[in-house]
């Protein structure tokens, strides 16, 4: 390819969507991805996800700083290391967020990102198995499918949730994003549908993809981004582009690359000897994450745990091979509810994700399916108050980002998780499911009081791997805004950001669908900018 019109840095959830749409519009696009190809059986088979997260061949395996709010534990923060990014290694839960989330973004200064404005992009990106309507789309690259690993106890949990006072939703990605329903998954015919699997099924000829090429910095001259410096193998190269660079490296790497390029908090850059190209104090700030913890119950009913070994496991292998159904198609959850634990909230504050299986921790510290039948309810806080940051460890581009975040840095966040555990317990006590419940494994019967549950939350809360917000989008008078509503970086022309880092606040539910939507919308905004006639 001759000099491209644009270079897109990062072939993840948002980056692949953005790069493909720009190429489909006629631009010559070079996509630079640090990871390998997505073409690997372990990526394609949904149930193998537990074998690729925290594996260096698939995951950058970042470690956060010790978190005093959870006993000083240094949590692992995954980041996809394959084409497709997070969508290549995640649990495949397809959740759009709540209408309120996007209207709130607009109120905070992200004009044009209200729900009515982003809805067409959600519809454009998906091929929904339930069909198209005013809220859902068909014909898009991301296939959104029903759960193909069905267990009777999942339906009983949904019925029990209704008995506990939670309304049944016809579609949690549709008109009403509250209540209880089966989960939908980013899958096509029982296989993972990452952005690589989806958008590259019909790759435009003018989209060139460079794999295993790590961007060291964005090159800026006279206030304009004109290319990137990359390391591929043992060679360092400078790549130029006509119109500039779209940075889509994710909420952990986008701020790191900006700072390595001289864009960020001036004092921090000077501390590491990096010349300041543009002082922007918001780069790396505003880090947000969904915290959550598990309620685990031993049950007498049939669950996925019963199908993992022996003859039952062989039957599941056949079911997957010939019908693309069964346990090997499982995502991280089977049903979910979005609920409010308090009156007067604008949107649900809690997500309860039910899985007809449970894990246990092995002596080596790894996760393995529990040997006996069990179910899990993951209780997650949707709009935490706590904020963290991403910064540089050094000026060495090979150094991982420094992640500082307190999952329970705000006491009210912990209180809301306690309220969520109480709701989850209430559901498990309803007539539809209670006869199957043998015991509560975690937190256990001893955690009967709110004080005891608070202790459990402090020990057991983990990140959901949904980092956002570290290059936030906002109005011109917002001192921490890194990009405007047009995704253009403040003070550097020819440089846009299009990934989860631009989210002003974290949306409801799993964030992958929102990240893809950002890539879709950003492609139109970037295209509009590069095709504007020069005055």
């Amino acid at each position: 390819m001759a000099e491209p019109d644009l270079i897109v840095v990062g072939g993840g959830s948002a980056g692949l969507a953005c790069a493909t749409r720009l190429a489909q519009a006629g631009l010559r696009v070079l996509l630079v991805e640090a990871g390998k190809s997505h073409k690997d059986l372990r990526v394609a088979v949904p149930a193998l996800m537990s074998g690729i997260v925290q594996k260096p061949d698939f995951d950058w395996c970042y470690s956060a700083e010790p978190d005093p709010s959870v006993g000083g534990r240094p949590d692992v923060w995954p980041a996809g290391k394959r084409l497709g990014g997070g969508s290549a290694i995640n649990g495949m839960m397809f959740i759009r967020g709540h209408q309120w989330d996007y209207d709130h973004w607009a109120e905070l200064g992200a004009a044009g990102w209200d729900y009515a404005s982003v809805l067409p992009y959600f519809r454009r990106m998906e091929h929904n198995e339930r069909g198209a309507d005013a809220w859902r789309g068909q014909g898009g690259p991301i296939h959104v499918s029903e759960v193909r690993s069905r267990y009777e106890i999942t339906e009983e949990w949904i019925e029990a949730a209704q008995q506990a006072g939670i309304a049944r939703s016809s579609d949690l990605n549709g008109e009403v994003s509250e209540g209880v329903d089966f989960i939908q998954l980013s899958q096509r015919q029982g296989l993972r549908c990452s952005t690589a699997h989806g958008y590259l099924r019909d790759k435009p000829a003018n989209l060139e993809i460079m794999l295993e090429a790590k961007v060291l910095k964005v090159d800026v001259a006279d206030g304009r981004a004109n290319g990137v410096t990359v390391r591929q193998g043992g060679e360092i190269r400078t790549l130029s582009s006509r119109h500039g660079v779209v940075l889509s490296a994710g909420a952990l790497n986008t701020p790191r690359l900006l700072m390595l390029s001289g864009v960020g908090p001036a004092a921090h850059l000077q501390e590491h000897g990096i010349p300041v190209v543009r002082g922007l104090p918001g780069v790396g700030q505003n880090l947000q994450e969904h915290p959550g913890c598990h309620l685990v119950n031993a049950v007498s009913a049939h669950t996925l745990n019963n199908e993992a070994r022996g003859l039952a496991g062989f039957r599941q292998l056949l079911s997957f091979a010939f019908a693309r159904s069964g346990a090997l198609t499982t995502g991280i959850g089977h049903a979910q509810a979005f609920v409010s634990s308090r009156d007067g909230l604008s949107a649900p504050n809690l997500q309860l994700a039910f899985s007809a299986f449970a894990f246990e921790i092995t002596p080596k510290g790894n996760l393995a399916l529990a040997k006996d039948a069990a179910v899990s309810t993951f209780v997650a806080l949707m709009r935490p108050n706590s904020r963290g940051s991403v910064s540089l460890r050094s000026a060495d581009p090979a150094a991982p980002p420094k992640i500082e975040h307190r999952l329970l840095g705000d006491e009210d966040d912990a209180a809301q998780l306690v309220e969520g555990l109480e709701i989850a317990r209430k559901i498990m006590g309803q007539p539809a499911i209670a006869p199957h419940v043998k015991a509560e494994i975690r937190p256990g019967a001893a955690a009967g009081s709110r004080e005891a549950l608070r202790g459990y939350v402090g020990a057991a809360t983990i990140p959901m791997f949904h980092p956002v917000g570290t290059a936030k989008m906002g109005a011109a008078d917002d001192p921490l805004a890194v990009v405007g509503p047009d995704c253009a970086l403040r003070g550097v022309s020819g440089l846009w950001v299009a990934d989860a880092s631009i989210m002003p606040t974290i949306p409801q539910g799993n964030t992958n669908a929102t990240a893809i939507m950002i890539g879709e919308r950003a492609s139109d905004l970037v295209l509009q900018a590069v095709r504007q006639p020069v005055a």
Side-chain angles (χ1 to χ4, degrees):
M1 179 188 284
E3 182 184 46
D5 294 309
L6 285 164
I7 294 173
V8 176
V9 177
S13 298
L16 258 175
C18 186
T20 304
R21 294 302 192 190
L22 288 168
Q24 288 172 348
L27 297 181
R28 294 192 304 276
V29 179
L30 172 62
L31 176 65
V32 183
E33 165 58 36
K36 298 179 182 179
S37 168
H38 63 295
K39 295 178 181 179
D40 188 295
L41 182 67
R42 291 164 290 182
V43 172
V45 178
L48 299 183
M49 62 187 156
S50 61
I52 58 179
V53 176
Q54 300 184 29
K55 297 297 188 294
D57 202 33
F58 298 87
D59 179 0
W60 291 103
C61 301
Y62 295 134
S63 180
E65 300 302 293
D67 180 354
S69 74
V70 290
R73 186 182 67 231
D75 282 311
V76 173
W77 286 45
K81 200 178 180 180
R82 291 288 175 129
L83 199 60
S87 69
I89 66 171
N90 68 2
M92 291 159 284
M93 287 172 63
F94 186 90
I95 311 294
R96 286 184 175 182
H98 196 281
Q99 295 184 19
W100 181 88
D101 292 311
Y102 305 105
D103 291 340
H104 186 53
W105 287 6
E107 291 171 1
L108 293 174
W113 291 82
D114 57 280
Y115 183 70
S117 298
V118 302
L119 178 59
Y121 295 96
F122 276 121
R123 297 184 72 241
R124 185 170 85 174
M125 67 188 256
E126 76 168 332
H127 181 80
N128 180 28
E129 196 171 276
R130 296 184 181 182
D133 59 22
W135 296 274
R136 307 303 300 273
Q138 277 198 316
I142 299 299
H143 282 239
V144 183
S145 303
E146 302 305 312
V147 171
R148 290 172 174 241
S149 49
R150 293 289 179 132
Y151 300 90
E152 188 174 339
I153 197 166
T154 304
E155 298 180 18
E156 292 168 350
W157 185 83
I158 290 175
E159 184 180 350
Q162 293 174 266
Q163 291 172 347
I166 301 170
R168 183 71 158 86
S169 170
S170 60
D171 186 356
L172 287 169
N173 288 309
E175 183 178 11
V176 180
S177 306
E178 304 176 24
V180 62
D181 190 19
F182 289 103
I183 282 170
Q184 285 195 305
L185 300 169
S186 301
Q187 291 186 0
R188 183 179 184 272
Q189 297 178 348
L191 297 173
R192 179 189 295 275
C193 186
S194 68
T195 52
H197 291 103
Y199 284 89
L200 297 182
R201 284 179 62 82
D202 187 19
K203 185 177 83 68
N206 52 333
L207 171 61
E208 181 180 339
I209 299 175
M210 178 184 292
L211 295 176
E212 299 182 72
K214 192 167 185 178
V215 172
L216 307 183
K217 67 184 182 78
V218 177
D219 298 320
V220 180
D222 299 322
R224 180 174 184 82
N226 53 31
V228 296
T229 299
V230 305
R231 179 188 288 122
Q232 189 179 40
E235 181 185 4
I236 294 179
R237 302 166 58 190
T238 297
L239 308 173
S240 63
S241 61
R242 289 181 60 218
H243 295 299
V245 175
V246 180
L247 191 50
S248 188
L252 302 179
N253 266 317
T254 282
R256 185 182 68 88
L257 281 174
L258 285 172
M259 288 184 276
L260 289 172
S261 307
V263 178
H268 181 59
L269 301 182
Q270 291 163 352
E271 173 190 346
H272 292 290
I274 298 173
V276 179
V277 171
R278 171 66 175 173
L280 283 177
V283 174
Q285 302 303 304
N286 193 48
L287 174 63
Q288 296 160 64
E289 169 63 293
H290 287 138
C293 53
H294 286 94
L295 175 77
V296 182
N297 295 92
V299 295
S300 59
H302 187 81
T303 71
L304 190 148
N305 297 86
N306 303 109
E307 298 176 340
R309 300 170 182 84
L311 183 60
F314 181 69
R315 285 197 297 266
Q316 290 302 314
L317 186 62
L318 294 177
S319 178
F320 180 77
F322 291 103
R324 289 288 187 264
S325 64
L328 286 171
T329 68
T330 192
I332 198 65
H334 298 133
Q336 67 180 333
F338 290 105
V339 301
S340 297
S341 64
R342 301 172 178 180
D343 295 333
L345 297 177
S346 301
N349 62 325
L350 295 164
Q351 177 186 22
L352 309 180
F354 178 82
S355 304
F357 59 81
F359 288 101
E360 59 186 17
I361 300 175
T362 69
K364 294 183 178 180
N366 299 320
L367 287 178
L369 277 174
K371 294 179 181 178
D372 299 318
V375 298
S376 303
T377 310
F378 191 74
V379 179
L381 179 60
M382 293 295 90
R383 296 172 186 85
N385 297 308
S386 188
R387 298 288 186 272
S389 65
V390 173
S391 57
L392 295 177
R393 293 185 183 277
S394 74
D396 181 1
K402 185 176 182 180
I403 304 165
E404 297 176 281
H405 184 69
R406 297 189 176 191
L407 283 175
L408 301 176
D410 185 285
E411 186 56 33
D412 192 51
D413 290 353
Q416 291 179 72
L417 285 176
V418 168
E419 293 163 10
L421 283 168
E422 291 175 335
I423 295 171
R425 277 179 163 174
K426 182 180 178 182
I427 293 172
M428 297 305 294
Q430 297 303 312
I433 200 169
H436 293 303
V437 178
K438 296 169 63 176
E440 184 178 289
I441 300 173
R442 294 198 299 272
S449 66
R450 280 202 163 186
E451 291 74 19
L453 283 178
R454 174 61 181 91
Y456 173 73
V457 164
T461 294
I462 58 175
M464 284 186 71
F465 311 150
H466 300 160
V468 308
T470 50
K472 82 166 189 172
M473 172 172 52
D477 59 356
D478 183 344
L480 292 182
V482 176
V483 300
D486 57 357
C487 295
L489 195 89
R490 293 282 158 78
V492 179
S493 62
L495 182 55
W496 297 266
V497 179
D499 59 30
S501 67
I502 73 170
M503 298 184 195
T505 55
I506 194 166
Q508 173 175 298
N510 305 61
T511 52
N512 192 247
T514 303
I516 300 170
M517 177 277 290
I518 287 172
E520 287 270 1
R521 178 155 172 70
S523 69
D524 279 359
L525 296 169
V526 173
L527 186 66
Q528 180 182 3
V530 301
R531 286 186 169 171
Q532 282 178 343
V534 178

